[in-house]
Amino acid sequence: MLGTTVNPCTLSLFGATGDLALRKLFPALYHLDRAKLIHPDTRVLALSKEHIEADRYASMIEQSLQRYVAEREMDAETVARFLARLTYVPMDFRDTDSFAPLVTLLAREETHIAYFATPAAVFGDICANLAAQGLADKTRVVLEKPIGHDLESSRVINDAVAQHFPESSIYRIDHYLGKETVQNLIALRFANSLFESQWNQYHITHVEITVAEKVGIEGRWGYFDQAGQLRDMVQNHLLQLLCLVAMDPPSDLSADSIRDEKVKVLKALAPITEEQLSRYTVRGQYTAGSSDGKPVPGYLDEENSNTQSGSETFIALRAEIRNWRWSGVPFYLRTGKRMPQKLSQIVIHFKEPPFYIFAPEQRSLISNKLIIRLQPDEGISLQVMTKDQGLDKGMHLRSGPLQLNFSDTYKSARIPDAYERLLLEVMQGNQYLFVRKDEVENAWLWCDQLIAGWKRQGDLPKPYAAGTWGPVSSVALIIRDGRSWYGDM
């Protein structure tokens, strides 16, 4: 077992009966406890407006652990120790007096972490009430996405938080940044001259970033229909991945050095003009189809749906970065629901050798690719050309992977969930995996011009059958450049 690495703290979880808390946060805290990465004196205050008896709430959390933690990773001793850390406190998040019990429950010298697993509309109220009770100076606040639905609303939310907390105490979550493979991007690029020396316009033709989901709305209709796939996925997850792929080397591994370089990428993103919208963007909305061989309804046929909805469930983009490193290199981004498989990957396409000496009919094989798989099987694969084996093969080429599959390579180690990493980093006071205010604002600035352009043009999402890779026009978007999406079948 690993030893304790953090000082004691109290984690106040606002929204402790919600889906995020039960499905992700409590299981992540349990795993940290099981790995002995939480100090023995660390406590968890579960805060919600509902009045629930302590025993009943403990039972709720235990059932949640049984549902979302693998059976082989459950053990009675850790469950008992973890449940003993919990204190349930009913609270009205908008009422200052409701926060008084926190003052009594928090030790004067310990760090306090306030995790907002709530709608962003109450972030400002919670911060104001923490400050009114004199708790601001000792508190780190963790903000869940989405932070607003455009630049203006995000500024309202961030400014409300900033009235009471400095940027150094604010941790904006993007759970993709906690994934092991995403963190490995920094090591892969900057610890290996093999890659960093080739990481530019002279050696790379294009980059693909795909985040595909098999699921549909899953009961999130009210939120998702107001957001759409661009706001829900591109503005945060995909643009963060793009930044990590495209950024220049930071001067060190400090939070601000890394985030400074990411902001430079966002500022260098070329706006997509209204004249370019039809060529460089594709919006889609899934219709009835099949998933895993079973029929599934279309987006407009989902329970409680708005049958006139014009929200997109799929988006594909061709983005360009206006700087020396990436001039002329397109970044193709796509994400959607009801795709054929759950898949998150980055594919770096390297240029072909300048002079070809092998059989002409094999030339189509020549293309080194670096595939960085974020899910489902985290790992890194480099597609290289080698000679086929056998005396009768001559100089026949074959494409094959040099592969690092995390689960196969590190057989004794369990790959932690992203929220485990992020919660641990908050406890340690490290901000490099969290998003700074200017990152949020520059990402919204780029996305807002797309939304405004679609609105002015009256653009409606194109239909695609559930279980497919999106509208046909998303294929045309990349084919126009003489390319194709990697791995589509």
Side-chain angles (χ1 to χ4, degrees):
M1 286 293 216
L2 296 170
T4 300
T5 62
V6 295
N7 293 324
C9 66
T10 293
L11 172 66
S12 293
L13 180 50
F14 292 81
T17 57
D19 178 69
L20 175 65
L22 298 176
R23 182 166 49 91
K24 288 291 187 180
L25 301 180
F26 283 116
L29 289 167
Y30 167 84
H31 281 298
L32 292 176
D33 199 345
R34 185 169 180 263
K36 301 291 180 66
L37 291 171
I38 296 180
H39 194 282
D41 295 332
T42 288
R43 296 169 299 149
V44 179
L45 304 182
L47 313 175
S48 176
K49 64 181 179 181
E50 301 175 52
H51 287 268
I52 305 174
E53 295 296 327
D55 290 346
R56 180 169 157 246
Y57 186 75
S59 176
M60 180 191 303
I61 299 306
E62 186 170 8
Q63 290 174 21
S64 180
L65 296 178
Q66 291 170 349
R67 180 176 180 182
Y68 296 113
V69 175
E71 186 177 353
R72 66 181 180 278
E73 293 162 356
M74 290 286 286
D75 68 80
E77 180 182 349
T78 305
V79 170
R81 183 175 66 243
F82 180 68
L83 294 179
R85 298 179 186 275
L86 297 183
T87 301
Y88 183 78
V89 182
M91 178 181 291
D92 180 350
F93 300 158
R94 298 183 186 274
D95 177 22
T96 303
D97 293 339
S98 289
F99 284 66
L102 288 183
V103 179
T104 305
L105 288 166
L106 297 177
R108 182 172 300 174
E109 70 283 354
E110 71 181 354
T111 298
H112 177 225
I113 296 169
Y115 196 116
F116 301 168
T118 68
V122 297
F123 287 180
D125 292 315
I126 297 173
C127 290
N129 290 327
L130 288 170
Q133 295 291 348
L135 298 174
D137 291 343
K138 62 185 297 181
T139 298
R140 301 167 188 162
V141 293
V142 185
L143 313 184
E144 267 288 347
K145 81 169 189 78
I147 300 177
H149 60 272
D150 57 14
L151 176 59
E152 183 180 357
S153 60
S154 74
R155 280 178 171 163
V156 170
I157 295 166
N158 279 316
D159 288 349
V161 176
Q163 286 184 29
H164 308 286
F165 294 92
E167 186 66 28
S168 59
S169 297
I170 301 171
Y171 295 71
R172 296 175 188 84
I173 286 272
D174 185 328
H175 74 268
Y176 265 58
L177 298 183
K179 291 181 179 292
E180 197 75 17
T181 320
V182 173
Q183 294 171 68
N184 253 310
L185 264 173
I186 293 176
L188 183 74
R189 286 191 54 191
F190 304 127
N192 296 283
S193 59
L194 167 68
F195 292 120
E196 184 53 26
S197 63
Q198 311 293 303
W199 213 262
N200 55 53
Q201 57 167 310
Y202 298 114
H203 302 285
I204 291 173
T205 61
H206 63 290
V207 177
E208 295 177 52
I209 302 176
T210 294
V211 177
E213 302 173 276
K214 286 181 69 173
V215 298
I217 299 306
E218 291 192 308
R220 298 171 67 222
W221 180 272
Y223 158 71
F224 184 85
D225 197 53
Q226 294 296 315
Q229 197 74 356
L230 182 82
R231 291 184 175 101
D232 191 44
M233 295 295 290
V234 175
Q235 186 273 334
N236 41 77
H237 299 330
L238 272 76
L239 287 186
Q240 282 293 317
L241 295 178
L242 181 147
C243 286
L244 289 172
V245 170
M247 72 182 193
D248 283 337
S251 57
D252 53 45
L253 291 179
S254 66
D256 278 336
S257 291
I258 292 173
R259 296 190 293 188
D260 285 345
E261 297 304 330
K262 289 197 291 177
V263 169
K264 290 177 185 177
V265 174
L266 292 170
K267 288 182 175 180
L269 275 174
I272 298 178
T273 66
E274 287 196 45
E275 293 73 24
Q276 295 172 321
L277 279 176
S278 61
R279 287 180 58 85
Y280 288 0
T281 74
V282 176
R283 299 169 73 222
Q285 188 184 88
Y286 66 82
T287 59
S290 63
S291 180
D292 293 330
K294 299 177 181 178
V296 293
Y299 180 72
L300 301 182
D301 302 318
E302 297 276 9
E303 186 177 357
N304 299 320
S305 68
N306 168 17
T307 58
Q308 304 300 313
S309 173
S311 297
E312 77 279 352
T313 62
F314 173 93
I315 186 81
L317 301 166
R318 184 188 190 277
E320 295 182 355
I321 299 171
R322 297 181 299 189
N323 63 17
W324 176 90
R325 183 184 288 267
W326 297 111
S327 178
V329 178
F331 284 71
Y332 301 98
L333 283 60
R334 64 173 175 172
T335 177
K337 298 188 181 300
R338 288 295 186 206
M339 301 278 97
Q341 63 184 108
K342 181 179 181 179
L343 173 70
S344 295
Q345 70 180 16
I346 301 164
V347 184
I348 313 294
H349 294 260
F350 292 94
K351 289 186 176 180
E352 296 181 6
F355 183 68
Y356 186 73
I357 62 174
F358 300 93
E361 64 270 16
Q362 298 182 83
R363 181 146 198 168
S364 61
L365 297 174
I366 301 294
S367 179
N368 294 136
K369 301 176 186 68
L370 180 66
I371 300 113
I372 303 161
R373 177 76 62 98
L374 311 181
Q375 62 181 11
D377 302 314
E378 293 187 80
I380 300 166
S381 175
L382 178 63
Q383 294 288 331
V384 298
M385 302 304 300
T386 58
K387 176 190 174 298
D388 209 352
Q389 298 298 305
L391 296 175
D392 60 337
K393 301 296 184 181
M395 193 52 74
H396 189 274
L397 300 177
R398 65 188 295 271
S399 177
L402 298 176
Q403 190 157 305
L404 169 63
N405 183 290
F406 289 0
S407 59
D408 291 342
T409 303
Y410 307 115
K411 293 184 184 296
S412 61
R414 172 185 162 273
I415 298 175
D417 179 77
Y419 277 100
E420 296 171 45
R421 169 72 63 183
L422 295 172
L423 284 164
L424 184 61
E425 296 295 339
V426 177
M427 293 178 188
Q428 294 173 328
N430 298 329
Q431 285 191 308
Y432 78 105
L433 293 179
F434 298 85
V435 183
R436 204 168 58 191
K437 179 183 178 182
D438 53 351
E439 289 182 72
V440 175
E441 293 187 349
N442 279 284
W444 272 125
L445 189 64
W446 192 74
C447 289
D448 280 356
Q449 47 101 22
L450 296 176
I451 296 168
W454 291 329
K455 185 175 181 180
R456 282 192 294 269
Q457 293 187 356
D459 181 82
L460 294 174
K462 298 171 176 60
Y464 66 96
T468 65
W469 284 106
V472 174
S473 50
S474 69
V475 179
L477 178 144
I478 193 170
I479 283 181
R480 286 192 200 101
D481 295 338
R483 297 167 179 138
S484 60
W485 296 104
Y486 176 79
D488 282 12
M489 298 180 65

